Amino acid sequence: MAHFAELDANNVVLRVIVVGNKDTSDANGVEKEHIGAAFCERLFGGTWKQTSYNGNIRKNYAGIGYTYNPSIDAFVPPKPYASWVLNNDTAQWEAPTPMPDDGERYFWDETTLSWIKAEPK
């Protein structure tokens, strides 16, 4: 089984579907992305890119609202805050300062551009 993400004109993921092995493989049984993408296009139209749960393909599993970034060949989640920057190696957004690693819970405060310690309940 393979997973394929449908992209809109801005490379934003609209949906992710599962495609059977026989619809993604060549005559020798070798899975090929272009075969699976063509299968999806014939059924539904649109533009399709393969994705994987384990991140072996395009760094992150595609989700609705993610964006396919062709320059790093990766699915990128929505940007959580204006100040965060994209790590091109992981295709993940990172805060301008690292979250403290002291075992406590923190949340990001975009107004102060800092991590705020969460109060216990």
Side-chain angles (χ1 to χ4, degrees), residues 51-81:
T51 186
S52 68
Y53 277 125
N54 58 16
N56 287 342
I57 302 172
R58 302 199 165 90
K59 300 182 184 174
N60 298 302
Y61 182 72
I64 294 171
Y66 279 48
T67 302
Y68 172 67
N69 183 327
S71 65
I72 59 173
D73 190 28
F75 288 106
V76 178
K79 189 173 185 177
Y81 299 99

mmCIF file of all heavy atoms in Angstrom, residues 51-81:
data_model
loop_
_atom_site.group_PDB
_atom_site.id
_atom_site.type_symbol
_atom_site.label_atom_id
_atom_site.label_comp_id
_atom_site.label_asym_id
_atom_site.label_seq_id
_atom_site.Cartn_x
_atom_site.Cartn_y
_atom_site.Cartn_z
ATOM 1 N N THR A 51 3.611 10.098 -0.291
ATOM 2 C CA THR A 51 4.014 10.421 1.073
ATOM 3 C C THR A 51 4.116 9.108 1.846
ATOM 4 O O THR A 51 3.691 8.068 1.350
ATOM 5 C CB THR A 51 3.015 11.401 1.732
ATOM 6 O OG1 THR A 51 3.505 11.815 3.003
ATOM 7 C CG2 THR A 51 1.625 10.800 1.875
ATOM 8 N N SER A 52 4.701 9.150 3.040
ATOM 9 C CA SER A 52 4.792 7.923 3.838
ATOM 10 C C SER A 52 4.695 8.244 5.319
ATOM 11 O O SER A 52 5.158 9.286 5.772
ATOM 12 C CB SER A 52 6.105 7.188 3.558
ATOM 13 O OG SER A 52 7.205 7.907 4.047
ATOM 14 N N TYR A 53 4.073 7.303 6.060
ATOM 15 C CA TYR A 53 3.900 7.470 7.502
ATOM 16 C C TYR A 53 5.220 7.638 8.233
ATOM 17 O O TYR A 53 5.323 8.383 9.189
ATOM 18 C CB TYR A 53 3.180 6.258 8.105
ATOM 19 C CG TYR A 53 1.680 6.306 7.994
ATOM 20 C CD1 TYR A 53 0.989 5.272 7.392
ATOM 21 C CD2 TYR A 53 0.960 7.367 8.506
ATOM 22 C CE1 TYR A 53 -0.388 5.297 7.292
ATOM 23 C CE2 TYR A 53 -0.416 7.402 8.403
ATOM 24 C CZ TYR A 53 -1.087 6.372 7.790
ATOM 25 O OH TYR A 53 -2.441 6.411 7.697
ATOM 26 N N ASN A 54 6.236 6.916 7.805
ATOM 27 C CA ASN A 54 7.504 6.920 8.542
ATOM 28 C C ASN A 54 8.448 8.043 8.131
ATOM 29 O O ASN A 54 9.564 8.113 8.631
ATOM 30 C CB ASN A 54 8.196 5.567 8.415
ATOM 31 C CG ASN A 54 8.458 5.184 6.982
ATOM 32 O OD1 ASN A 54 8.410 6.001 6.083
ATOM 33 N ND2 ASN A 54 8.733 3.909 6.764
ATOM 34 N N GLY A 55 8.027 8.905 7.222
ATOM 35 C CA GLY A 55 8.861 10.037 6.815
ATOM 36 C C GLY A 55 9.985 9.662 5.870
ATOM 37 O O GLY A 55 10.862 10.484 5.603
ATOM 38 N N ASN A 56 9.983 8.430 5.344
ATOM 39 C CA ASN A 56 11.026 8.029 4.389
ATOM 40 C C ASN A 56 10.887 8.740 3.054
ATOM 41 O O ASN A 56 11.840 8.812 2.293
ATOM 42 C CB ASN A 56 10.995 6.516 4.156
ATOM 43 C CG ASN A 56 11.533 5.761 5.337
ATOM 44 O OD1 ASN A 56 12.220 6.292 6.180
ATOM 45 N ND2 ASN A 56 11.208 4.481 5.395
ATOM 46 N N ILE A 57 9.687 9.208 2.773
ATOM 47 C CA ILE A 57 9.435 9.936 1.531
ATOM 48 C C ILE A 57 8.990 11.344 1.899
ATOM 49 O O ILE A 57 8.009 11.529 2.616
ATOM 50 C CB ILE A 57 8.343 9.243 0.691
ATOM 51 C CG1 ILE A 57 8.755 7.809 0.367
ATOM 52 C CG2 ILE A 57 8.056 10.014 -0.584
ATOM 53 C CD1 ILE A 57 7.658 6.991 -0.279
ATOM 54 N N ARG A 58 9.752 12.335 1.486
ATOM 55 C CA ARG A 58 9.412 13.755 1.651
ATOM 56 C C ARG A 58 9.345 14.207 3.113
ATOM 57 O O ARG A 58 8.562 15.045 3.470
ATOM 58 C CB ARG A 58 8.149 14.064 0.887
ATOM 59 C CG ARG A 58 8.324 13.736 -0.589
ATOM 60 C CD ARG A 58 7.349 14.399 -1.501
ATOM 61 N NE ARG A 58 7.860 14.288 -2.838
ATOM 62 C CZ ARG A 58 7.590 13.277 -3.677
ATOM 63 N NH1 ARG A 58 6.766 12.324 -3.305
ATOM 64 N NH2 ARG A 58 8.132 13.247 -4.863
ATOM 65 N N LYS A 59 10.167 13.632 3.935
ATOM 66 C CA LYS A 59 10.474 14.043 5.313
ATOM 67 C C LYS A 59 9.316 13.970 6.304
ATOM 68 O O LYS A 59 9.509 13.604 7.444
ATOM 69 C CB LYS A 59 11.098 15.436 5.338
ATOM 70 C CG LYS A 59 12.385 15.481 4.557
ATOM 71 C CD LYS A 59 13.046 16.822 4.596
ATOM 72 C CE LYS A 59 14.278 16.778 3.712
ATOM 73 N NZ LYS A 59 14.908 18.022 3.563
ATOM 74 N N ASN A 60 8.114 14.334 5.918
ATOM 75 C CA ASN A 60 6.956 14.308 6.809
ATOM 76 C C ASN A 60 5.782 13.659 6.087
ATOM 77 O O ASN A 60 5.628 13.825 4.875
ATOM 78 C CB ASN A 60 6.536 15.727 7.223
ATOM 79 C CG ASN A 60 7.606 16.439 7.994
ATOM 80 O OD1 ASN A 60 8.055 15.972 9.034
ATOM 81 N ND2 ASN A 60 8.055 17.581 7.483
ATOM 82 N N TYR A 61 4.944 12.975 6.859
ATOM 83 C CA TYR A 61 3.705 12.451 6.285
ATOM 84 C C TYR A 61 2.810 13.638 5.962
ATOM 85 O O TYR A 61 2.602 14.527 6.801
ATOM 86 C CB TYR A 61 3.018 11.511 7.277
ATOM 87 C CG TYR A 61 1.762 10.884 6.734
ATOM 88 C CD1 TYR A 61 1.835 9.904 5.756
ATOM 89 C CD2 TYR A 61 0.525 11.273 7.197
ATOM 90 C CE1 TYR A 61 0.686 9.310 5.250
ATOM 91 C CE2 TYR A 61 -0.641 10.688 6.703
ATOM 92 C CZ TYR A 61 -0.550 9.714 5.724
ATOM 93 O OH TYR A 61 -1.689 9.135 5.222
ATOM 94 N N ALA A 62 2.292 13.675 4.755
ATOM 95 C CA ALA A 62 1.434 14.786 4.340
ATOM 96 C C ALA A 62 0.124 14.775 5.117
ATOM 97 O O ALA A 62 -0.452 13.724 5.357
ATOM 98 C CB ALA A 62 1.146 14.695 2.851
ATOM 99 N N GLY A 63 -0.326 15.944 5.486
ATOM 100 C CA GLY A 63 -1.623 16.105 6.127
ATOM 101 C C GLY A 63 -2.379 17.207 5.430
ATOM 102 O O GLY A 63 -1.777 18.068 4.769
ATOM 103 N N ILE A 64 -3.679 17.208 5.572
ATOM 104 C CA ILE A 64 -4.483 18.273 4.971
ATOM 105 C C ILE A 64 -3.976 19.605 5.520
ATOM 106 O O ILE A 64 -3.789 19.770 6.726
ATOM 107 C CB ILE A 64 -5.975 18.068 5.269
ATOM 108 C CG1 ILE A 64 -6.461 16.799 4.573
ATOM 109 C CG2 ILE A 64 -6.800 19.273 4.828
ATOM 110 C CD1 ILE A 64 -7.863 16.372 4.952
ATOM 111 N N GLY A 65 -3.721 20.548 4.614
ATOM 112 C CA GLY A 65 -3.223 21.857 5.003
ATOM 113 C C GLY A 65 -1.704 21.960 4.973
ATOM 114 O O GLY A 65 -1.158 23.064 5.046
ATOM 115 N N TYR A 66 -1.009 20.841 4.881
ATOM 116 C CA TYR A 66 0.449 20.879 4.707
ATOM 117 C C TYR A 66 0.744 21.423 3.311
ATOM 118 O O TYR A 66 -0.121 21.411 2.437
ATOM 119 C CB TYR A 66 1.053 19.492 4.823
ATOM 120 C CG TYR A 66 1.278 18.997 6.228
ATOM 121 C CD1 TYR A 66 0.296 19.088 7.203
ATOM 122 C CD2 TYR A 66 2.479 18.399 6.573
ATOM 123 C CE1 TYR A 66 0.507 18.613 8.473
ATOM 124 C CE2 TYR A 66 2.705 17.915 7.855
ATOM 125 C CZ TYR A 66 1.709 18.034 8.798
ATOM 126 O OH TYR A 66 1.918 17.567 10.070
ATOM 127 N N THR A 67 1.963 21.861 3.103
ATOM 128 C CA THR A 67 2.382 22.358 1.798
ATOM 129 C C THR A 67 3.541 21.513 1.282
ATOM 130 O O THR A 67 4.466 21.202 2.044
ATOM 131 C CB THR A 67 2.827 23.825 1.891
ATOM 132 O OG1 THR A 67 1.742 24.608 2.396
ATOM 133 C CG2 THR A 67 3.247 24.372 0.540
ATOM 134 N N TYR A 68 3.475 21.165 0.012
ATOM 135 C CA TYR A 68 4.611 20.483 -0.607
ATOM 136 C C TYR A 68 5.590 21.563 -1.056
ATOM 137 O O TYR A 68 5.247 22.467 -1.810
ATOM 138 C CB TYR A 68 4.173 19.629 -1.791
ATOM 139 C CG TYR A 68 5.354 19.089 -2.550
ATOM 140 C CD1 TYR A 68 6.207 18.156 -1.968
ATOM 141 C CD2 TYR A 68 5.652 19.535 -3.827
ATOM 142 C CE1 TYR A 68 7.322 17.684 -2.641
ATOM 143 C CE2 TYR A 68 6.754 19.071 -4.505
ATOM 144 C CZ TYR A 68 7.583 18.149 -3.903
ATOM 145 O OH TYR A 68 8.696 17.702 -4.567
ATOM 146 N N ASN A 69 6.835 21.477 -0.564
ATOM 147 C CA ASN A 69 7.883 22.421 -0.914
ATOM 148 C C ASN A 69 8.836 21.721 -1.880
ATOM 149 O O ASN A 69 9.629 20.880 -1.468
ATOM 150 C CB ASN A 69 8.620 22.871 0.354
ATOM 151 C CG ASN A 69 9.685 23.901 0.086
ATOM 152 O OD1 ASN A 69 10.325 23.894 -0.956
ATOM 153 N ND2 ASN A 69 9.891 24.781 1.047
ATOM 154 N N PRO A 70 8.761 22.053 -3.181
ATOM 155 C CA PRO A 70 9.592 21.341 -4.155
ATOM 156 C C PRO A 70 11.090 21.613 -4.006
ATOM 157 O O PRO A 70 11.903 20.770 -4.366
ATOM 158 C CB PRO A 70 9.069 21.822 -5.508
ATOM 159 C CG PRO A 70 8.331 23.069 -5.236
ATOM 160 C CD PRO A 70 7.860 23.000 -3.807
ATOM 161 N N SER A 71 11.469 22.753 -3.450
ATOM 162 C CA SER A 71 12.901 23.058 -3.344
ATOM 163 C C SER A 71 13.609 22.146 -2.349
ATOM 164 O O SER A 71 14.814 21.914 -2.463
ATOM 165 C CB SER A 71 13.134 24.530 -2.994
ATOM 166 O OG SER A 71 12.637 24.823 -1.713
ATOM 167 N N ILE A 72 12.863 21.608 -1.374
ATOM 168 C CA ILE A 72 13.456 20.647 -0.433
ATOM 169 C C ILE A 72 12.785 19.278 -0.550
ATOM 170 O O ILE A 72 13.080 18.384 0.225
ATOM 171 C CB ILE A 72 13.414 21.161 1.029
ATOM 172 C CG1 ILE A 72 11.980 21.433 1.492
ATOM 173 C CG2 ILE A 72 14.296 22.381 1.186
ATOM 174 C CD1 ILE A 72 11.864 21.769 2.967
ATOM 175 N N ASP A 73 11.894 19.133 -1.521
ATOM 176 C CA ASP A 73 11.158 17.888 -1.778
ATOM 177 C C ASP A 73 10.579 17.321 -0.487
ATOM 178 O O ASP A 73 10.855 16.186 -0.098
ATOM 179 C CB ASP A 73 12.051 16.851 -2.452
ATOM 180 C CG ASP A 73 11.259 15.645 -2.959
ATOM 181 O OD1 ASP A 73 10.066 15.804 -3.281
ATOM 182 O OD2 ASP A 73 11.844 14.536 -3.010
ATOM 183 N N ALA A 74 9.756 18.168 0.178
ATOM 184 C CA ALA A 74 9.212 17.765 1.476
ATOM 185 C C ALA A 74 7.817 18.340 1.688
ATOM 186 O O ALA A 74 7.473 19.394 1.140
ATOM 187 C CB ALA A 74 10.134 18.241 2.591
ATOM 188 N N PHE A 75 7.048 17.630 2.522
ATOM 189 C CA PHE A 75 5.769 18.152 2.993
ATOM 190 C C PHE A 75 6.029 18.924 4.278
ATOM 191 O O PHE A 75 6.657 18.399 5.210
ATOM 192 C CB PHE A 75 4.766 17.019 3.240
ATOM 193 C CG PHE A 75 4.260 16.407 1.966
ATOM 194 C CD1 PHE A 75 4.689 15.156 1.562
ATOM 195 C CD2 PHE A 75 3.358 17.094 1.169
ATOM 196 C CE1 PHE A 75 4.231 14.592 0.385
ATOM 197 C CE2 PHE A 75 2.887 16.538 -0.018
ATOM 198 C CZ PHE A 75 3.326 15.288 -0.409
ATOM 199 N N VAL A 76 5.553 20.159 4.321
ATOM 200 C CA VAL A 76 5.812 21.057 5.450
ATOM 201 C C VAL A 76 4.483 21.353 6.148
ATOM 202 O O VAL A 76 3.510 21.755 5.497
ATOM 203 C CB VAL A 76 6.459 22.370 4.953
ATOM 204 C CG1 VAL A 76 6.689 23.331 6.092
ATOM 205 C CG2 VAL A 76 7.757 22.077 4.212
ATOM 206 N N PRO A 77 4.440 21.180 7.487
ATOM 207 C CA PRO A 77 3.208 21.503 8.205
ATOM 208 C C PRO A 77 2.938 23.009 8.169
ATOM 209 O O PRO A 77 3.845 23.795 7.873
ATOM 210 C CB PRO A 77 3.489 21.028 9.634
ATOM 211 C CG PRO A 77 4.964 20.991 9.758
ATOM 212 C CD PRO A 77 5.509 20.734 8.383
ATOM 213 N N PRO A 78 1.717 23.421 8.477
ATOM 214 C CA PRO A 78 1.414 24.851 8.522
ATOM 215 C C PRO A 78 2.319 25.563 9.536
ATOM 216 O O PRO A 78 2.650 25.002 10.584
ATOM 217 C CB PRO A 78 -0.052 24.902 8.958
ATOM 218 C CG PRO A 78 -0.605 23.567 8.570
ATOM 219 C CD PRO A 78 0.528 22.598 8.731
ATOM 220 N N LYS A 79 2.693 26.783 9.215
ATOM 221 C CA LYS A 79 3.562 27.566 10.093
ATOM 222 C C LYS A 79 2.774 27.956 11.344
ATOM 223 O O LYS A 79 1.737 28.606 11.251
ATOM 224 C CB LYS A 79 4.044 28.813 9.349
ATOM 225 C CG LYS A 79 5.111 29.582 10.060
ATOM 226 C CD LYS A 79 5.654 30.692 9.172
ATOM 227 C CE LYS A 79 6.815 31.388 9.837
ATOM 228 N NZ LYS A 79 7.387 32.429 8.950
ATOM 229 N N PRO A 80 3.282 27.595 12.543
ATOM 230 C CA PRO A 80 2.512 27.854 13.754
ATOM 231 C C PRO A 80 2.559 29.310 14.222
ATOM 232 O O PRO A 80 1.594 29.794 14.806
ATOM 233 C CB PRO A 80 3.146 26.929 14.794
ATOM 234 C CG PRO A 80 4.534 26.715 14.315
ATOM 235 C CD PRO A 80 4.471 26.797 12.814
ATOM 236 N N TYR A 81 3.674 29.991 13.988
ATOM 237 C CA TYR A 81 3.846 31.380 14.421
ATOM 238 C C TYR A 81 4.662 32.130 13.380
ATOM 239 O O TYR A 81 5.549 31.560 12.746
ATOM 240 C CB TYR A 81 4.571 31.455 15.775
ATOM 241 C CG TYR A 81 3.832 30.769 16.888
ATOM 242 C CD1 TYR A 81 4.174 29.481 17.282
ATOM 243 C CD2 TYR A 81 2.777 31.397 17.539
ATOM 244 C CE1 TYR A 81 3.492 28.835 18.307
ATOM 245 C CE2 TYR A 81 2.079 30.769 18.552
ATOM 246 C CZ TYR A 81 2.450 29.481 18.932
ATOM 247 O OH TYR A 81 1.762 28.854 19.934
#
